Amino acid sequence: MLNRNPDFLRLYQRGAFCSLGSALLYAMPNGKSCNRLGITAGKKVGCAVKRNRAKRIIRAAYTACEMEMPIGLDIVIVARHTLPEENSAVLTEALRTRGLRHLIGVSDGSIRPEPNKRSTGGKPKARQKTAAAKKQ
């Protein structure tokens, strides 16, 4: 199980990304003999009840597909705001088709994790004034 913030940040920055519709999947080889799962449901998903439902749906989908997954991966599944309103069978089917294909590709090396170009948080950089704005 992934539960340390640096592990999540490493996957967000360098992991291979895949969309499952109502959730996002990040994966990266971990060099261990087991898979480690991390689940994220941010405040954009909704109130605590909706976030907990989203996490339950993700856990159920992962458990249903776990035996078919390759071994030795760090996996993070991020809930989108539409997930709590969906049935768990929808995410299970997406994970079983797109997600499994993606995880197999990451495991055998045909899908390479690339550094993420997006910012991972922190303060935004101060904007520099243009020469025209400085004169006014």
Side-chain angles (χ1 to χ4, degrees), residues 20-106:
L20 301 176
S22 58
L24 304 175
L25 175 73
Y26 292 89
M28 189 172 170
N30 65 12
K32 298 182 180 178
S33 61
C34 63
N35 288 342
R36 298 190 305 167
L37 174 67
I39 299 173
T40 303
K43 289 204 174 185
K44 289 183 180 180
V45 173
C47 65
V49 173
K50 288 185 177 183
R51 291 194 305 269
N52 287 332
R53 175 168 166 70
K55 290 187 274 188
R56 280 195 309 270
I57 291 171
I58 290 170
R59 275 190 220 102
Y62 179 82
T63 303
C65 301
E66 187 174 18
M67 299 307 291
E68 303 165 31
M69 292 183 183
I71 302 295
L73 296 173
D74 282 347
I75 302 166
V76 171
I77 302 176
V78 181
R80 286 185 170 165
H81 71 280
T82 57
L83 184 60
E85 285 81 34
E86 285 189 2
N87 189 346
S88 64
V90 174
L91 183 63
T92 302
E93 185 60 31
L95 187 58
R96 191 166 268 137
T97 55
R98 284 180 277 169
L100 211 52
R101 187 175 34 216
H102 181 73
L103 293 174
I104 291 169
V106 170

